[in-house]
Amino acid sequence: MLLVDADPVSVVLASDGSRKRRQGLGEHGRLPAMRVLNTTQMREADRYTIHEIGIPSLVLMENAGRQVVSAMEAWFKPLADKRVAVVAGRGNNGGDGFVVARTLLDRVLDVGVFLIGRVQDVAGDARANLEILGRLGVSVVEVGDEQSWELHSSEALAADIVVDAIFGTGLKAPLHGVLQTVVADLNASGVPVVAVDVPSGLASDAHMVMGEAVQATLTVTMGAPKPAHVLPPASRHCGDLVVADIGIPPSVIDAVEGPRLEVVTQEMLGAHVEVRDPDAHKGDFGRILIVAGSMGKTGAAHLAAMGAIKSGAGLVTIATPRSCQPLLAVMAPEYMTVALPEDEEGRIIAEALEIVLAQPADVIAIGPGLGTSDAITTFLISLLEQSGVPLVLDADALNAFAADPLRLHARDGLDIIITPHPGEMARLLGSPTNEVQADRVAAARALAEQRDLHVILKGHRTLVASPDGAVSINVTGNPGMATGGTGDVLTGVVAAWLAQLLDPEAAARLAAYVHGLAGDLAQADCGEVAMSASDLLDHLGDAVLELQSGAGHDGRDEARGDPI
C-alpha cells in the first residue's frame, strides 16, 4: 500500500500486496524521506515550515489539495468523465477538500461539495478556501445532522468518486452521530473513496481501528506517512497510499525530534548491495557458522545454511550434533559440517562451546532446530560472554532464555541480532503475546533499547528495532510465508548480510526486505497456499537482482518485473 514516486513513473505497493506502476503523478508525488511522523511531529514540521521558513499555511493547503487531484488523475483514468463528491469537515482537512473541489471544477464532469457541519463554523485557511468556492459559484450543501444527511446522501453517493476530507490527523475518539452514519454509508456504497491525509475515523498515531472508519481506495497523505498508514490493521483502511510533497522540506521532516519510525524502501537499501569486484574471492563475503539442528530437526539447519549461501555468504559451515552431521552432509554440497558433542536426545551440550569458538567465523548464527535444555542455555550464556564475532539468535536460541530473559543482553563490543516471532518476543519481555501484538513498535523498541540488541520482530509488517530506539517497518512479504522453515531461512539471510556489511542495523533491514521480497516473488510463481520455505530459497537471488536493478547498480534484466 505504499507509494514512492520515481518521477515520472510512480511505484506502488498496493493494498492487495501486488506491485504496479502508475503514470503521471509528477514531481510532487515524490517522497524524499521515508520517515513516519506522529501527529505531534507532523505539527512541528508544519509549524517550522510556516513560521521559520516562511511558507504560508494557505500555500501548504493549496499544494495539498492540488496533490490530491494529481493522484486522482493518475489513479482514475479518464477523470474527465467522472462525477466527484467532496465530503468535507470544518477543519483544515476540509480546507484541503475545498481546494480539491476548486481544482477539479474544469477537469471533471461534475463536482458536489457536502460540508459535515455549518458554514459559519468553518474558520482560518479552510474558511478562505470555502469563500473562494462561493465566489466561483459552487454551492456547498450543509449536513448538520442525520436528517440532512438522509436528505442529501443519495446525491453524494451517486458520484463516481467520493473525496473524504472530513478528518485529518487530529482525531482522537471514535466517530458518533451523523459522522458515524456518513462514514458507514460511504463504506456501504461501494463508491471509490479518496481519503485526504488519513481516512476519517482513524487515529493517525494508532495502528488499531477505534470504530467506524472510511475504507479508502486511495489515501493521499501530506509530507510523511503516519503510523496508521503503515501499521495494520489501520493500514488496511488506506488502500493505495501516496505520500505527497506539499512544500515541507525533507530536512525539516528528518530533523523533527522524537521517536524515529521509518519505512524500509528499495532506495534506502539498494546502495548496500554493490556489484562485486571482478577480483573478489569467497573470503571477501564472510564466513558463517550456523549452530543448529537436533535429532528430527535437521531441516531447520539446512534451510538456514542455504539462506546464507543464497544471500551471498562466502563460506558456510553447520555445527550440529554428532548424530545429525551425516544427515546434513548429504543434503547439500555447498556447505560444510562440524560435529558437536550431544546428549542422549541428540541435542548439543555445553561442552560444544570449545569447538564452536575454535571455528573460523565472521558471524555465528544459532538456534534453528536446536532444541532446548539446561545444557543449551549454559552453552548460549557462555557464548554471549566469550564470542568475539557478531551473533544472530533465533528460535530455540531465544527460547533458551525464557526462564531468565534478562540474561539475553549484548555486552560492550558485541553486536547481536535476534529474530523473534511474537510469542518468542513475549517470553523475552515477560509479557503476554497479545500485549506485544497490541503495540509491536513499542515492544520491539523497548527490547532493543533495554538489552542493547538489534531486533527483527517477525510478522505482518516485520519491524527492525535498533538499540538507539529507531524502528523500521518492512513492507515486503505476504501470508504465504506463514509456513514452517521461513524463519530459518531468515536466520541465514541475516547472518550473510551481517558478514558482508558489518553493520547490524543495515544488515537487519536489508535481510528483512530481501526475505519478504523473495516471498512476494514466490507468491507470484506458486501462490500463497503452496508456498514453502524452499520456494523462498529459490527466489532470494531474484530478490537481490530486483533490488540492485531498482537501485541502478547493474541494469541486468531490466524488463523483468516492477521494482518496489
Side-chain angles (χ1 to χ4, degrees), residues 502-520:
L502 304 178
D503 178 338
E505 183 175 24
R509 286 175 167 180
L510 181 59
Y513 185 95
V514 169
H515 182 258
L517 181 53
D520 291 337

Side-chain angles (χ1 to χ4, degrees), residues 278-525:
D279 294 329
H281 57 84
K282 61 187 177 224
D284 294 333
F285 305 113
R287 298 165 298 177
I288 310 298
L289 180 66
I290 297 177
V291 184
S294 59
M295 188 54 64
K297 298 180 181 178
T298 52
H302 169 80
L303 289 170
M306 292 307 300
I309 289 167
K310 292 286 189 176
S311 298
L315 291 165
V316 176
T317 300
I318 300 175
T320 193
R322 184 177 296 110
S323 59
C324 299
Q325 184 193 21
L327 301 174
L328 282 162
V330 297
M331 285 186 180
E334 291 90 349
Y335 53 71
M336 298 169 284
T337 59
V338 171
L340 300 177
E342 62 185 13
D343 62 18
E344 63 278 4
E345 296 185 22
R347 300 170 301 196
I348 67 169
I349 57 177
E351 288 73 15
L353 179 66
E354 184 176 349
I355 298 173
V356 167
L357 292 176
Q359 301 303 310
D362 299 305
V363 172
I364 301 175
I366 317 104
L370 198 63
T372 57
S373 68
D374 291 342
I376 289 174
T377 300
T378 300
F379 167 86
L380 288 165
I381 291 171
S382 299
L383 184 61
L384 264 60
E385 293 172 348
Q386 299 181 43
S387 177
V389 300
L391 303 177
V392 179
L393 276 61
D394 180 38
D396 288 330
L398 301 176
N399 293 329
F401 291 95
D404 190 3
L406 293 179
R407 299 297 295 265
L408 178 55
H409 193 295
R411 70 175 198 273
D412 289 344
L414 178 66
D415 290 323
I416 299 178
I417 300 177
I418 66 172
T419 62
H421 60 56
E424 292 162 346
M425 187 75 170
R427 289 189 284 275
L428 293 174
L429 286 170
S431 305
T433 303
N434 62 350
E435 288 187 12
V436 170
Q437 292 294 78
D439 196 341
R440 285 166 51 85
V441 171
R445 179 177 282 132
L447 188 64
E449 289 182 327
Q450 294 167 11
R451 315 283 182 82
D452 201 22
L453 302 169
H454 295 269
V455 178
I456 301 176
L457 177 54
K458 295 182 286 195
H460 180 40
R461 295 287 153 87
T462 289
L463 302 177
V464 178
S466 301
D468 64 1
V471 178
S472 299
I473 304 166
N474 181 62
V475 296
T476 60
N478 61 82
M481 298 170 68
T483 186
T486 57
D488 303 320
V489 173
L490 177 61
T491 301
V493 176
V494 173
W497 286 113
L498 180 56
Q500 291 171 82
L501 300 180
L502 304 178
D503 178 338
E505 183 175 24
R509 286 175 167 180
L510 181 59
Y513 185 95
V514 169
H515 182 258
L517 181 53
D520 291 337
L521 295 172
Q523 178 197 40
D525 276 355

